[in-house]
Amino acid sequence: MLELKTANTLSTQTNNAIEQVIATKLARAVFAGFEAMFAEFLNITLGAQSRFEQRQWQSVQSAMRERLQVYERQVKNVSEAVRVIAFKELNDPRLWQQAKHIYGQMVQDHENQPIAHTFFNSTFGSIWDDKKIRTVHLFVLKAKYRAKSRPFDNLVSRISLQNGFSQAVEQLIYRQAFRVGFTDLAHDVDILQRTLALGAQQQCRQVYELMNLNDGYIEYANSLFFRNKACYLIGRCIAKNGDNMPFAVAILHTQSGLKLDAVMMGADQLSLLFGFARTYFMVDTDQPARYVDYLSVLMPHKQRFELFNAIGFIKHAKTEFYRYKVDTTNNSPIDDKYIIAPGTPGMVMLVFTTAGSDYVYKVIKDKFSAPKTSTKAQVMAKYDFVKQADRVGRLVDTHEFRYLAFDLNRFSDELLTHMRASIGSSMAIANKALVLKHVYVERKMTPLNLYINQCDDKQLNNVMLDYGKAIKELAGANIFPGDMLMKNFGVTRWGRVVFYDYDEICPLTDCNFRDLPSSENSFDELSSESYFDVAENDVFPSQFKVFFSADQQAFSHFCQQHQDLFSPDFWLQCQADINAGQLADVYPYKQSWRFQPGVITHKSD
């Protein structure tokens, strides 16, 4: 009997030792994958300044798309390695719990611990997929997994105002190192000095007074922020008492050289630069979490997930969003229930939200309403297309989640019945949670078709002008929205029109824009059936008027500004420009904020 107990004990010890070895190898494999992912991400980012200096705008677009693939590719590579390492124990939850503990110790003091945690979560999720995933295996909600703000002194530099504000601004620009020169730097710096002073006078009186007293200092991020055709110098003017005015200086590389193009001042204006409808910045740093800490100081109303997203760490942004979602749910009144989102119900998506939320949740329906004929896979491909595209400030960014849990108590019986009927295959109920197997999260906006019913004539004119500009800017970025009905566009708090319904979106160059053929028989044109051959990619701009004509007053404003959208000539010219390698200039700030020779812009507009 003693021998049997001894044998069992030895067997248990042996098994425990094997599990420990395998768990350690799993943790090391995931950590190696994380380091490889981060290195590849950084290597692509490091080329941003060189591409900017060489005006390699097509390469800028390619690098952006390539960097988006890095994370998923490394997760796939690590998952394949882990399957080999774990072998029979791959689906042993106890083994993964050990691996998580070991991995947590490995990255405990890592500079990028939060992102490393997310990489482990992604690897675990890719292997377990639709199996029951318990948060005990993930780095998510516990307080110890939530990064605390850390000092960012090594990421910024400061310039004293003791020798005068003008000289400090001059130093700020002259310290930036480029391999190409400015066209007229002295002129640009002079305008920047006066514009910053005017902005401080209007927005932050304490900073303005200390500027005149040659007190305080200018602080700026050591790394430049690159996106599309521009480079941004981020910083703030700080008074001794701590009052500060954030700023972002836009630098362009024109054919004649570099130039300062605009300055955004104050948290609200910076927020526009870091908006949710724009592609991601490339920032040369191996300390992205600390940069988010710094940006959070400049834009305190921005959530951390928005800032991680803005600098390209979109997977970790999802982790941060989930924490934000859980926290806001726990802190909101119990009667803050989910509702169908305001606006015209979609044919492809069920969209819900809460009245107090800034976000909507979109789930692909099991069955699409006529005349939609797409499949779920095709709709998902469209959303992936948008993720890879240059959104030029006109396409809402989306976070794609799998198995996202919601508090079941927040759903009425009526809404649950509706959801079961329309998205039943994409949802499951487990205890007190409603789990969506696949869902997109987007920023909430006012649907354009609702906005035009609640605005005055001036606002109507402005929004219809921007509606057409949105379509044209998307066209310049090789994007054709497809369905351009007003219900598919939203209006931001800045009054910008942004597209958010992607099931018919496609590259503009895939379309064949045609004039509507005339018929010798007038009865043909009245027929419900086409009297001419139509290919799948044929588009007839003259028929676009139906998209904009639901409100005659709005349609009148639209036609005054954008009549050219109803002719194939506009679209064919866009295609020619795209095929010639041209990228349109799109500015993430108001035209009125741009520097004009000898003109100081009033910044409070």
Side-chain angles (χ1 to χ4, degrees), residues 18 95 269 393 422 503:
I18 291 174
L95 183 75
Q269 292 187 9
S422 56
D503 59 278

Side-chain angles (χ1 to χ4, degrees), residues 212-254:
N212 293 325
L213 294 173
N214 297 341
D215 207 347
Y217 47 89
I218 293 176
E219 176 186 270
Y220 64 93
N222 294 330
S223 297
L224 295 165
F225 287 60
F226 294 90
R227 186 174 66 194
N228 292 342
K229 292 183 175 182
C231 163
Y232 300 92
L233 171 59
I234 308 290
R236 54 180 174 161
C237 301
I238 309 179
K240 265 193 173 179
N241 67 352
D243 286 353
N244 66 91
M245 182 185 72
F247 64 79
V249 181
I251 305 171
L252 302 184
H253 188 183
T254 69

Side-chain angles (χ1 to χ4, degrees), residues 541-590:
S542 63
Q543 295 184 323
F544 290 170
K545 293 181 181 180
V546 70
F547 292 134
F548 316 108
S549 59
D551 183 296
Q552 285 303 311
Q553 188 178 5
F555 185 53
S556 176
H557 284 296
F558 187 91
C559 287
Q560 290 175 20
Q561 306 285 347
H562 302 297
Q563 189 74 32
D564 52 344
L565 288 176
F566 305 135
S567 167
D569 294 343
F570 167 82
W571 302 95
L572 293 172
Q573 183 60 55
C574 283
Q575 288 180 325
D577 292 342
I578 293 165
N579 290 329
Q582 297 181 26
L583 290 176
D585 294 322
V586 178
Y587 304 97
Y589 39 86
K590 295 183 179 182

Side-chain angles (χ1 to χ4, degrees), residues 412-596:
S412 67
D413 291 340
E414 181 182 6
L415 180 54
L416 284 173
T417 300
H418 179 59
M419 294 175 73
R420 287 189 182 99
S422 56
I423 60 167
S425 68
S426 295
M427 60 181 281
I429 293 177
N431 297 322
K432 296 181 179 180
L434 183 149
V435 180
L436 292 178
K437 299 175 185 178
H438 184 257
V439 58
Y440 296 101
V441 182
E442 289 180 358
R443 189 66 179 257
K444 183 192 291 183
M445 291 175 290
T446 304
L448 180 56
N449 62 319
L450 299 185
Y451 180 88
I452 64 173
N453 294 327
Q454 60 192 40
C455 62
D456 58 33
D457 192 64
K458 181 179 179 181
Q459 291 172 322
L460 181 62
N461 181 67
N462 290 340
V463 81
M464 296 311 288
L465 170 63
D466 203 56
Y467 182 19
K469 285 178 62 178
I471 294 169
K472 290 177 176 178
E473 289 176 4
L474 288 172
N478 195 22
I479 295 170
F480 181 61
D483 189 345
M484 291 180 284
L485 287 167
M486 283 191 276
K487 70 182 182 68
N488 297 327
F489 289 78
V491 183
T492 71
R493 67 187 181 96
W494 286 91
R496 282 179 61 81
V497 177
V498 180
F499 189 59
Y500 54 59
D501 194 319
Y502 302 148
D503 59 278
E504 292 190 14
I505 203 168
C506 69
L508 187 81
T509 47
D510 285 357
C511 302
N512 180 33
F513 294 98
R514 298 173 55 187
D515 279 315
L516 197 65
S518 58
S519 173
E520 296 179 0
N521 186 341
S522 59
F523 290 104
D524 287 342
E525 298 184 13
L526 299 176
S527 172
S528 60
E529 297 182 1
S530 176
Y531 57 89
F532 54 90
D533 292 333
V534 180
E536 185 177 356
N537 64 336
D538 281 349
V539 180
F540 302 96
S542 63
Q543 295 184 323
F544 290 170
K545 293 181 181 180
V546 70
F547 292 134
F548 316 108
S549 59
D551 183 296
Q552 285 303 311
Q553 188 178 5
F555 185 53
S556 176
H557 284 296
F558 187 91
C559 287
Q560 290 175 20
Q561 306 285 347
H562 302 297
Q563 189 74 32
D564 52 344
L565 288 176
F566 305 135
S567 167
D569 294 343
F570 167 82
W571 302 95
L572 293 172
Q573 183 60 55
C574 283
Q575 288 180 325
D577 292 342
I578 293 165
N579 290 329
Q582 297 181 26
L583 290 176
D585 294 322
V586 178
Y587 304 97
Y589 39 86
K590 295 183 179 182
Q591 284 292 316
S592 61
W593 297 355
R594 300 188 66 198
F595 293 163
Q596 302 296 327

Side-chain angles (χ1 to χ4, degrees), residues 67-359:
R67 198 177 69 167
L68 284 171
Q69 307 300 322
V70 168
Y71 191 97
E72 292 289 359
R73 184 166 59 240
Q74 285 298 339
V75 168
K76 181 179 178 182
N77 290 343
V78 172
S79 298
E80 291 173 354
V82 164
R83 290 178 192 278
V84 174
I85 294 167
F87 189 39
K88 291 185 296 184
E89 288 81 14
L90 181 68
N91 296 320
D92 182 349
R94 191 176 64 175
L95 183 75
W96 278 99
Q97 180 64 11
Q98 287 187 57
K100 175 193 171 186
H101 177 70
I102 296 166
Y103 185 85
Q105 291 179 322
M106 292 174 66
V107 302
Q108 184 172 359
D109 299 317
H110 198 287
E111 170 62 35
N112 295 304
Q113 181 202 62
I115 304 171
H117 282 170
T118 291
F119 192 84
F120 183 94
N121 296 346
S122 298
T123 304
F124 179 75
S126 72
I127 289 172
W128 281 64
D129 195 22
D130 61 348
K131 302 180 185 70
K132 185 177 181 181
I133 297 177
R134 297 176 60 204
T135 56
V136 71
H137 300 114
L138 303 176
F139 298 93
V140 184
L141 293 178
K142 288 185 178 180
K144 64 181 180 180
Y145 302 145
R146 301 188 181 211
K148 295 178 175 61
S149 294
R150 295 176 293 175
F152 46 75
D153 292 348
N154 64 322
L155 302 181
V156 300
S157 297
R158 290 177 173 175
I159 303 170
S160 172
L161 300 185
Q162 63 182 2
N163 295 321
F165 179 69
S166 294
Q167 185 171 329
V169 173
E170 186 175 289
Q171 285 187 51
L172 171 70
I173 302 303
Y174 277 86
R175 284 186 182 183
Q176 310 311 312
F178 293 99
R179 283 174 284 195
V180 290
F182 283 81
T183 303
D184 192 348
L185 185 54
H187 168 267
D188 289 354
V189 169
D190 179 58
I191 295 180
L192 177 61
Q193 290 165 347
R194 290 183 283 157
T195 307
L196 280 170
L198 180 61
Q201 183 180 23
Q202 294 174 344
Q203 297 188 30
C204 192
R205 193 72 191 179
Q206 286 278 4
V207 170
Y208 178 69
E209 290 175 358
L210 287 172
M211 283 179 182
N212 293 325
L213 294 173
N214 297 341
D215 207 347
Y217 47 89
I218 293 176
E219 176 186 270
Y220 64 93
N222 294 330
S223 297
L224 295 165
F225 287 60
F226 294 90
R227 186 174 66 194
N228 292 342
K229 292 183 175 182
C231 163
Y232 300 92
L233 171 59
I234 308 290
R236 54 180 174 161
C237 301
I238 309 179
K240 265 193 173 179
N241 67 352
D243 286 353
N244 66 91
M245 182 185 72
F247 64 79
V249 181
I251 305 171
L252 302 184
H253 188 183
T254 69
Q255 290 185 342
S256 57
L258 301 179
K259 70 182 293 288
L260 305 184
D261 190 63
V263 61
M264 287 134 276
M265 294 175 289
D268 281 346
Q269 292 187 9
L270 257 69
S271 179
L272 188 62
L273 179 64
F274 284 79
F276 58 83
R278 302 202 176 272
T279 44
Y280 315 110
F281 287 104
M282 291 203 173
V283 187
D284 172 11
T285 179
D286 55 6
Q287 298 176 296
R290 289 184 197 259
Y291 257 105
V292 166
D293 293 337
Y294 181 56
L295 293 172
S296 295
V297 171
L298 303 184
M299 295 171 282
H301 59 289
K302 281 279 189 185
Q303 299 296 330
R304 288 181 64 83
F305 66 86
E306 296 176 292
L307 297 172
F308 272 111
N309 204 59
I311 61 174
F313 289 90
I314 58 178
K315 293 297 182 181
H316 184 64
K318 288 170 60 175
T319 300
E320 296 281 353
F321 175 82
Y322 183 69
R323 290 168 179 156
Y324 163 85
K325 171 186 170 294
V326 171
D327 291 346
T328 52
T329 299
N330 290 338
N331 295 328
S332 64
I334 191 64
D335 58 354
D336 189 18
K337 303 280 190 178
Y338 288 106
I339 59 173
I340 296 296
T344 306
M347 298 179 179
V348 171
M349 293 282 193
L350 181 141
V351 187
F352 66 94
T353 185
T354 65
S357 175
D358 291 329
Y359 295 88

